[in-house]
Amino acid sequence: MKKYTDISDITDLDSLIRETILLKMTPFEYHGLGKHKTLVMLFFNASLRTRLSTEKAARNLGMEVMSLNVNEAWQLEFEDGTVMDANTSEHVKEAAQVISQYADIIAVRAFPSLTNKVKDQSEYILKSFEKYATVPIVNMESATAHPLQALADAVTISEFTETKRPKVVLSWAPHPKALPQAVANSFASMMQRMDVDFQITHPEGYELDSNITKDVPIIYNQEEALAEADFVYVKNWSNFNDYGKVLNTDPNWMMTAEKLGKAKFMHCLPVRRNMVVEDAVLDGGQSIVMQQANNRTFAAQIVLKQILENLN
Amino acid sequence: MKKYTDISDITDLDSLIRETILLKMTPFEYHGLGKHKTLVMLFFNASLRTRLSTEKAARNLGMEVMSLNVNEAWQLEFEDGTVMDANTSEHVKEAAQVISQYADIIAVRAFPSLTNKVKDQSEYILKSFEKYATVPIVNMESATAHPLQALADAVTISEFTETKRPKVVLSWAPHPKALPQAVANSFASMMQRMDVDFQITHPEGYELDSNITKDVPIIYNQEEALAEADFVYVKNWSNFNDYGKVLNTDPNWMMTAEKLGKAKFMHCLPVRRNMVVEDAVLDGGQSIVMQQANNRTFAAQIVLKQILENLN
Amino acid sequence: MKKYTDISDITDLDSLIRETILLKMTPFEYHGLGKHKTLVMLFFNASLRTRLSTEKAARNLGMEVMSLNVNEAWQLEFEDGTVMDANTSEHVKEAAQVISQYADIIAVRAFPSLTNKVKDQSEYILKSFEKYATVPIVNMESATAHPLQALADAVTISEFTETKRPKVVLSWAPHPKALPQAVANSFASMMQRMDVDFQITHPEGYELDSNITKDVPIIYNQEEALAEADFVYVKNWSNFNDYGKVLNTDPNWMMTAEKLGKAKFMHCLPVRRNMVVEDAVLDGGQSIVMQQANNRTFAAQIVLKQILENLN
């Protein structure tokens, strides 16, 4: 792996998952690998799990970590050829090149606006860093993708799979605020690369990007979709067609213990209790959200490890 | 010591103080102890001394340190059973459990609201982390207690004690803003565990929690209280009875060199000059506030050391 | 070097530049020097390059680094004898002394107000830390000086000099916001210590502090100044006479490829494209801004190295 901006950067998923599970058993084995290597983490948006797990992953590898909340410094410019006479103080061209000189790997978190679909879909922040940085980029959740989360999800499903080809359902849930499609996108892409029976259920009109969901069955009847599921991944996303809108907050889409049946419950967290999922599910024995969150460290660590191994 | 949320977690105070003073002489002796161990410091409130001294303590022990200003991420929910459809994005149940997977010890700073006495007294933030985290918790100042400060204070008094049983006075001081009772509480509790003649002086009506002060003499006449004192600990707190109110800013309660007599002057800092204490005291030879602040590092270090030794 | 608050702290510039260039080749050679030593970086203002490069420099030397955004903690008081009954919570006397107990070196960034010339020129923030701290102070850009930048600039000019005595021009540029004179000041001071033909060009009335520019030729005709230049350092500063005002935004002062001729282009960054300098210059082969930014790490590292070597 030479960078990790999207799950398409994974060539052999099975072996990557296997290596991650091995790494989890001996997290400090490669502590020498990151010696004198620096990870710079750039946050355009808030983070708890991603910040802590990625930093921990880097430190497990012996890397130095420097974090910057970019907007606490100043606004970056992303347009080419613009006269910078307004609010932006530095062009990403300079910022990315400069930071590359202080870093061996740069990790970037940059959420979508959810107001400008074309711009969000262009992934202009992440792509600008990819274009101008001279070191590998790791995506800590961008406008349309959260590949570190998806890798942790894949590892978790592998660890908990008991049948030959489990049924995995991505089930939309209501939420009061407009949230990105990134987690759902990357999970949907990842499931298409695993040997699982994958289905998506959401209210009509809440279709994700069809370039991502491709031929995945979309079932508008949640009950039907959930039948016999082995894993249910619950996640809200704001509308993708009527972009960024919250058009539905129907509480009937909330996940309940009854609906869950015998499936394992998954969510990327943070999760709003009794809005997205009822307490009984999160507090019950079928929830594997903690294992997912724990795997965030090792997903980040295997990615950083492989990138470090490919440096020069 | 298996955690340090309150000074009641100290079993043998004398020996702890002795060990702290020894540690101060060879701060890097246990640098191997924290290898591959991570301290996560969670700040719900601002910090200067506590942040730097606790981080330094952990690094002296060879620990990795990750800090998070929680409110920069998002608001946590602390109520059980609530429908999270408003401003809180994540329940402390999830947050504490997740962070426990990235940390070997979690340190928390969470001030009181000073508006809701019952809620503040319940220590719901600290107690929630204690309840849901799966790793030891260290209190970096909570709604009602500041045990790391109190330990540093106890060490400082031990170092400067010249008589067999020194007289120690906690003297209230005026302040323009409503401040917590935490430092005063923990100091009062700590002094009751030391072999000192401890008294408290404050304006009438400014009584601290009687569950904490117990039988400690409370003397409303500051001059009388200060007579023959060996150590005078000056600290403002807002009213505990008429909760969180600033009912008195009488400058006559300010500490002066004249009032101090021959006593050593103590304060946890930050301190407002010429409001809480006059310049002559802080700049004079009887002030031991710098030694107190220095002992913050070693108080934190002995606590982290003992907790590390008790892990697994 | 025992501290680095101003370029006057450099005794032998030539040898310092030579050592910096050597250090750049083996950045980790002195990794043992900083063992168990702590750099505390205090930011009163935003920073990207300075924060990352100084932290990297310290880590290259094996130091521990702790950063604090001071204003996120609370407001410091700098006046002597004041009654602190308003917005300031802690006097710099206490803060500087306390932090000195947690640090082996303290680095401070504190910009000018650009509204109170006398106060800014007094460098009261930096000087207060120098006065009250008990450990060496490094200036990460103060009200009137940016000596780490100037050292990186000097190193860069040394690396790129092809003639015996290059012509170096500091050329003012327009900018929509009021910026400090610090970078221009330190660059002007530094150039007077190097064997270069140094000239300054800016609109009439935009004179820098004459105590700094001394006998440096000031040429109001930019074209004339730029003729035959080997290095052109472009930088905006707000008016020093009519203090802090933006009296001129004439786009004719912007640097263009045509004006630049065969000179190398320098700027400290961040830079506003097509306002301060046109794209063609920044994206062209004569720009050495990236090398300047890279040298920030090694300028900071040689300074920290020399200070560490002088500690007790």
Side-chain angles (χ1 to χ4, degrees), chain C residues 274-301:
Chain C
N274 304 313
M275 176 89 203
V276 167
V277 53
E278 66 173 6
D279 283 342
V281 172
L282 271 173
D283 296 333
Q286 290 161 242
S287 170
I288 54 173
V289 298
M290 284 304 137
Q291 291 85 347
Q292 272 179 278
N294 190 35
N295 281 333
R296 293 294 308 275
T297 301
F298 306 104
Q301 195 173 334

Short mmCIF file of all heavy atoms in Angstrom, two decimals, chain C residues 274-301:
data_model
loop_
_atom_site.label_atom_id
_atom_site.label_comp_id
_atom_site.label_asym_id
_atom_site.label_seq_id
_atom_site.Cartn_x
_atom_site.Cartn_y
_atom_site.Cartn_z
N ASN C 274 -1.40 35.82 -6.21
CA ASN C 274 -1.96 36.83 -7.11
C ASN C 274 -2.38 38.11 -6.37
O ASN C 274 -3.12 38.93 -6.91
CB ASN C 274 -3.14 36.25 -7.91
CG ASN C 274 -2.69 35.01 -8.67
OD1 ASN C 274 -1.65 35.03 -9.33
ND2 ASN C 274 -3.44 33.94 -8.56
N MET C 275 -1.87 38.24 -5.19
CA MET C 275 -2.05 39.46 -4.40
C MET C 275 -0.65 39.95 -4.03
O MET C 275 -0.27 41.07 -4.30
CB MET C 275 -2.87 39.10 -3.14
CG MET C 275 -3.06 40.22 -2.15
SD MET C 275 -4.56 41.16 -2.55
CE MET C 275 -4.18 42.74 -1.77
N VAL C 276 0.12 39.04 -3.42
CA VAL C 276 1.51 39.32 -3.03
C VAL C 276 2.45 38.96 -4.18
O VAL C 276 3.42 39.66 -4.46
CB VAL C 276 1.85 38.51 -1.75
CG1 VAL C 276 3.35 38.51 -1.48
CG2 VAL C 276 1.07 39.07 -0.56
N VAL C 277 2.11 37.85 -4.84
CA VAL C 277 2.98 37.33 -5.90
C VAL C 277 2.10 36.55 -6.89
O VAL C 277 1.15 35.89 -6.49
CB VAL C 277 4.07 36.41 -5.30
CG1 VAL C 277 3.47 35.33 -4.42
CG2 VAL C 277 4.95 35.79 -6.37
N GLU C 278 2.43 36.66 -8.16
CA GLU C 278 1.58 35.96 -9.13
C GLU C 278 1.94 34.48 -9.18
O GLU C 278 3.07 34.08 -8.86
CB GLU C 278 1.65 36.60 -10.51
CG GLU C 278 3.00 36.50 -11.18
CD GLU C 278 2.98 37.00 -12.64
OE1 GLU C 278 1.94 37.52 -13.09
OE2 GLU C 278 4.01 36.85 -13.32
N ASP C 279 0.96 33.68 -9.62
CA ASP C 279 1.14 32.23 -9.70
C ASP C 279 2.42 31.84 -10.44
O ASP C 279 3.13 30.92 -10.02
CB ASP C 279 -0.05 31.60 -10.45
CG ASP C 279 -1.30 31.49 -9.59
OD1 ASP C 279 -1.17 31.56 -8.35
OD2 ASP C 279 -2.39 31.33 -10.16
N ALA C 280 2.68 32.54 -11.53
CA ALA C 280 3.82 32.16 -12.39
C ALA C 280 5.13 32.14 -11.61
O ALA C 280 6.02 31.33 -11.89
CB ALA C 280 3.92 33.12 -13.57
N VAL C 281 5.26 33.01 -10.64
CA VAL C 281 6.49 33.05 -9.85
C VAL C 281 6.54 31.87 -8.88
O VAL C 281 7.52 31.12 -8.83
CB VAL C 281 6.59 34.38 -9.07
CG1 VAL C 281 7.78 34.34 -8.10
CG2 VAL C 281 6.72 35.55 -10.02
N LEU C 282 5.46 31.70 -8.12
CA LEU C 282 5.44 30.62 -7.13
C LEU C 282 5.56 29.25 -7.78
O LEU C 282 6.16 28.33 -7.21
CB LEU C 282 4.14 30.68 -6.32
CG LEU C 282 4.16 31.54 -5.08
CD1 LEU C 282 2.76 31.63 -4.50
CD2 LEU C 282 5.12 30.99 -4.03
N ASP C 283 4.95 29.11 -8.95
CA ASP C 283 4.96 27.81 -9.61
C ASP C 283 6.18 27.65 -10.53
O ASP C 283 6.35 26.58 -11.13
CB ASP C 283 3.67 27.64 -10.42
CG ASP C 283 2.45 27.62 -9.50
OD1 ASP C 283 2.60 27.23 -8.34
OD2 ASP C 283 1.36 28.01 -9.95
N GLY C 284 7.00 28.68 -10.61
CA GLY C 284 8.15 28.64 -11.51
C GLY C 284 9.41 28.12 -10.84
O GLY C 284 9.45 27.90 -9.62
N GLY C 285 10.43 27.93 -11.62
CA GLY C 285 11.65 27.29 -11.14
C GLY C 285 12.53 28.18 -10.28
O GLY C 285 13.48 27.71 -9.65
N GLN C 286 12.23 29.49 -10.23
CA GLN C 286 13.08 30.38 -9.43
C GLN C 286 12.60 30.54 -7.99
O GLN C 286 13.25 31.17 -7.17
CB GLN C 286 13.18 31.74 -10.11
CG GLN C 286 13.99 31.69 -11.40
CD GLN C 286 13.71 32.87 -12.30
OE1 GLN C 286 13.22 32.72 -13.42
NE2 GLN C 286 13.99 34.06 -11.81
N SER C 287 11.43 29.97 -7.71
CA SER C 287 10.93 30.07 -6.33
C SER C 287 11.68 29.11 -5.43
O SER C 287 11.82 27.93 -5.74
CB SER C 287 9.43 29.73 -6.29
OG SER C 287 9.01 29.60 -4.95
N ILE C 288 12.18 29.63 -4.32
CA ILE C 288 12.84 28.74 -3.35
C ILE C 288 12.12 28.79 -2.00
O ILE C 288 12.71 28.56 -0.95
CB ILE C 288 14.35 29.07 -3.20
CG1 ILE C 288 14.57 30.55 -2.86
CG2 ILE C 288 15.10 28.72 -4.49
CD1 ILE C 288 16.05 30.89 -2.54
N VAL C 289 10.83 29.06 -2.06
CA VAL C 289 10.05 29.15 -0.81
C VAL C 289 9.97 27.79 -0.11
O VAL C 289 9.89 27.74 1.13
CB VAL C 289 8.63 29.73 -1.02
CG1 VAL C 289 8.71 31.16 -1.56
CG2 VAL C 289 7.80 28.85 -1.95
N MET C 290 9.95 26.72 -0.86
CA MET C 290 9.88 25.39 -0.22
C MET C 290 11.18 25.07 0.52
O MET C 290 11.15 24.51 1.61
CB MET C 290 9.60 24.29 -1.26
CG MET C 290 8.17 24.27 -1.72
SD MET C 290 7.03 24.10 -0.31
CE MET C 290 5.78 25.29 -0.79
N GLN C 291 12.28 25.45 -0.08
CA GLN C 291 13.57 25.23 0.59
C GLN C 291 13.66 26.08 1.86
O GLN C 291 14.20 25.63 2.88
CB GLN C 291 14.72 25.56 -0.36
CG GLN C 291 14.87 24.57 -1.53
CD GLN C 291 13.99 24.88 -2.74
OE1 GLN C 291 13.07 25.70 -2.67
NE2 GLN C 291 14.26 24.21 -3.85
N GLN C 292 13.14 27.31 1.76
CA GLN C 292 13.08 28.15 2.97
C GLN C 292 12.28 27.47 4.07
O GLN C 292 12.71 27.39 5.21
CB GLN C 292 12.35 29.47 2.65
CG GLN C 292 13.18 30.59 2.13
CD GLN C 292 12.27 31.78 1.86
OE1 GLN C 292 11.64 31.84 0.79
NE2 GLN C 292 12.21 32.73 2.77
N ALA C 293 11.09 27.00 3.71
CA ALA C 293 10.21 26.36 4.69
C ALA C 293 10.88 25.11 5.27
O ALA C 293 10.78 24.84 6.47
CB ALA C 293 8.87 26.01 4.07
N ASN C 294 11.56 24.37 4.42
CA ASN C 294 12.26 23.18 4.90
C ASN C 294 13.36 23.56 5.88
O ASN C 294 13.57 22.90 6.90
CB ASN C 294 12.85 22.42 3.71
CG ASN C 294 13.38 21.05 4.12
OD1 ASN C 294 12.82 20.39 4.99
ND2 ASN C 294 14.48 20.65 3.50
N ASN C 295 14.04 24.65 5.60
CA ASN C 295 15.13 25.08 6.48
C ASN C 295 14.63 25.58 7.84
O ASN C 295 15.43 25.72 8.77
CB ASN C 295 15.98 26.15 5.78
CG ASN C 295 16.95 25.52 4.78
OD1 ASN C 295 17.34 24.36 4.94
ND2 ASN C 295 17.33 26.28 3.76
N ARG C 296 13.33 25.83 7.95
CA ARG C 296 12.78 26.20 9.26
C ARG C 296 13.07 25.11 10.29
O ARG C 296 13.40 25.40 11.45
CB ARG C 296 11.26 26.44 9.17
CG ARG C 296 10.85 27.66 8.36
CD ARG C 296 11.31 28.95 9.02
NE ARG C 296 10.90 28.98 10.41
CZ ARG C 296 9.71 29.40 10.84
NH1 ARG C 296 8.84 29.88 9.99
NH2 ARG C 296 9.41 29.39 12.12
N THR C 297 12.94 23.85 9.89
CA THR C 297 13.22 22.75 10.81
C THR C 297 14.65 22.82 11.31
O THR C 297 14.91 22.70 12.52
CB THR C 297 13.01 21.39 10.11
OG1 THR C 297 11.66 21.31 9.67
CG2 THR C 297 13.31 20.22 11.05
N PHE C 298 15.58 23.04 10.40
CA PHE C 298 16.99 22.94 10.78
C PHE C 298 17.47 24.21 11.47
O PHE C 298 18.36 24.15 12.32
CB PHE C 298 17.81 22.54 9.56
CG PHE C 298 17.25 21.29 8.95
CD1 PHE C 298 16.49 21.33 7.78
CD2 PHE C 298 17.37 20.08 9.62
CE1 PHE C 298 15.90 20.19 7.27
CE2 PHE C 298 16.78 18.93 9.11
CZ PHE C 298 16.04 18.98 7.93
N ALA C 299 16.87 25.34 11.14
CA ALA C 299 17.16 26.57 11.90
C ALA C 299 16.74 26.36 13.36
O ALA C 299 17.50 26.66 14.29
CB ALA C 299 16.42 27.75 11.28
N ALA C 300 15.53 25.85 13.55
CA ALA C 300 15.06 25.60 14.92
C ALA C 300 15.93 24.55 15.60
O ALA C 300 16.26 24.67 16.79
CB ALA C 300 13.60 25.15 14.91
N GLN C 301 16.33 23.55 14.83
CA GLN C 301 17.10 22.46 15.43
C GLN C 301 18.49 22.90 15.86
O GLN C 301 18.95 22.51 16.95
CB GLN C 301 17.18 21.29 14.44
CG GLN C 301 17.62 19.99 15.11
CD GLN C 301 17.54 18.80 14.17
OE1 GLN C 301 16.76 18.79 13.22
NE2 GLN C 301 18.33 17.78 14.44
#
